[in-house]
Amino acid sequence: ISICRDLPNIEVITFSVNGISDLEPLHQCQNLSELYLRKNNITSLNELFYLKNLPRLRVLWLSENPCCGSDPHRYRMTVLRNLPSLQKLDNQAVTEEELSQALVDGEEITGPPARRSVENGCPEAAESSAAEATVETESELLSFSLEETNKIREELGMKPVPRDKFSSFSPRETDCNRKKRNNVLNAILLLMKELDAEGLEIVQQTVGRRLQDLHKKELQEE
């Protein structure tokens, strides 16, 4: 998610199922309108502090994070009190009545969360027990990541990735390495949206050379 610090003009971010716990890198994304963070490791609603000054944010999907807690009403009211410009929260439309009620039932967030010692990415052993409760099976992870990636590719006017190609990531990789690889792929696709024609041509030439090198290496190994 730290890549977002270098993408101030990004409009749509999809980082679901990625072990993300810190939203601070998003606070400069002033053009952000849609943010998908389902099934991560966001433990505190105080992370919303970093989204409060994003004027164009209209869609937020935050469900199935630890911060949602056991009281769905309090959770939704708190989010809407702090982000009253939202039009859709967790795939459910926001109503005027909810926004009014949020002023009564929601909790105002006035500062960032306390800093944690664990960096974004792979949780340390101390958090493993909590993480295990929400771990996806490999098939579910790949299916969801494929859906998210293809949504980004569609927005960029690119063809969707076939499942057989996307699932070619080695099953012997740890969940952490697989998530990092998917993060890199999504980050590259997002960055491409920022490029002009000349920049895209450079990327195309670089990718072509890289593919040729990989094919040569595979032939040599055979």
Side-chain angles (χ1 to χ4, degrees):
I1 192 172
S2 60
I3 187 70
C4 295
R5 292 192 181 96
D6 300 321
L7 297 172
N9 296 319
I10 196 71
E11 297 179 8
V12 178
I13 295 177
T14 302
F15 277 145
S16 297
V17 196
N18 272 299
I20 290 170
S21 60
D22 182 4
L23 301 186
E24 186 275 333
L26 302 177
H27 80 282
Q28 295 180 354
C29 299
Q30 293 293 299
N31 288 332
L32 186 63
S33 62
E34 298 181 31
L35 178 59
Y36 301 91
L37 292 167
R38 174 177 169 267
K39 288 192 177 183
N40 277 287
N41 194 39
I42 301 169
T43 59
S44 172
L45 284 176
N46 283 359
E47 294 291 343
L48 296 175
F49 177 79
Y50 299 115
L51 307 181
K52 293 182 68 170
N53 294 321
L54 302 184
R56 300 186 180 181
L57 187 62
R58 297 293 181 267
V59 177
L60 174 64
W61 198 333
L62 192 60
S63 64
E64 298 175 85
N65 275 277
C67 65
C68 298
S70 57
D71 187 342
H73 177 74
R74 177 183 175 279
Y75 153 72
R76 189 171 177 88
M77 291 296 98
T78 296
V79 174
L80 294 181
R81 177 166 182 173
N82 291 278
L83 303 174
S85 296
L86 287 181
Q87 296 176 355
K88 184 175 286 189
L89 172 61
D90 297 337
N91 208 31
Q92 181 179 341
V94 175
T95 66
E96 291 294 332
E97 291 77 9
E98 283 184 309
L99 291 175
S100 297
Q101 191 64 35
L103 296 175
V104 178
D105 296 345
E107 178 182 344
E108 179 72 17
I109 295 172
T110 59
R115 289 191 175 274
R116 295 170 296 276
S117 59
V118 179
E119 296 292 333
N120 282 339
C122 297
E124 298 292 338
E127 294 187 354
S128 61
S129 59
E132 287 171 1
T134 56
V135 167
E136 301 278 298
T137 65
E138 181 172 329
S139 176
E140 289 173 330
L141 271 172
L142 288 172
S143 295
F144 193 82
S145 297
L146 176 61
E147 179 183 347
E148 297 281 332
T149 299
N150 279 339
K151 179 178 179 178
I152 296 172
R153 293 176 68 90
E154 180 181 356
E155 292 170 355
L156 295 172
M158 303 169 65
K159 293 181 179 179
V161 180
R163 180 177 176 80
D164 61 335
K165 298 293 185 182
F166 194 83
S167 61
S168 63
F169 297 140
S170 172
R172 292 187 296 273
E173 290 182 317
T174 63
D175 284 344
C176 178
N177 287 337
R178 183 169 58 248
K179 288 177 184 178
K180 285 183 178 178
R181 179 175 281 180
N182 288 345
N183 283 347
V184 171
L185 174 60
N186 284 338
I188 291 172
L189 293 174
L190 290 168
L191 284 168
M192 286 175 62
K193 192 174 181 180
E194 303 291 316
L195 297 177
D196 56 14
E198 182 180 0
L200 289 171
E201 288 177 0
I202 294 173
V203 171
Q204 183 181 36
Q205 294 170 5
T206 303
V207 170
R209 289 194 295 269
R210 175 65 174 158
L211 285 173
Q212 288 179 357
D213 292 340
L214 288 174
H215 290 325
K216 290 179 181 178
K217 184 176 179 180
E218 289 175 356
L219 293 174
Q220 292 174 353
E221 291 177 351
E222 292 177 358

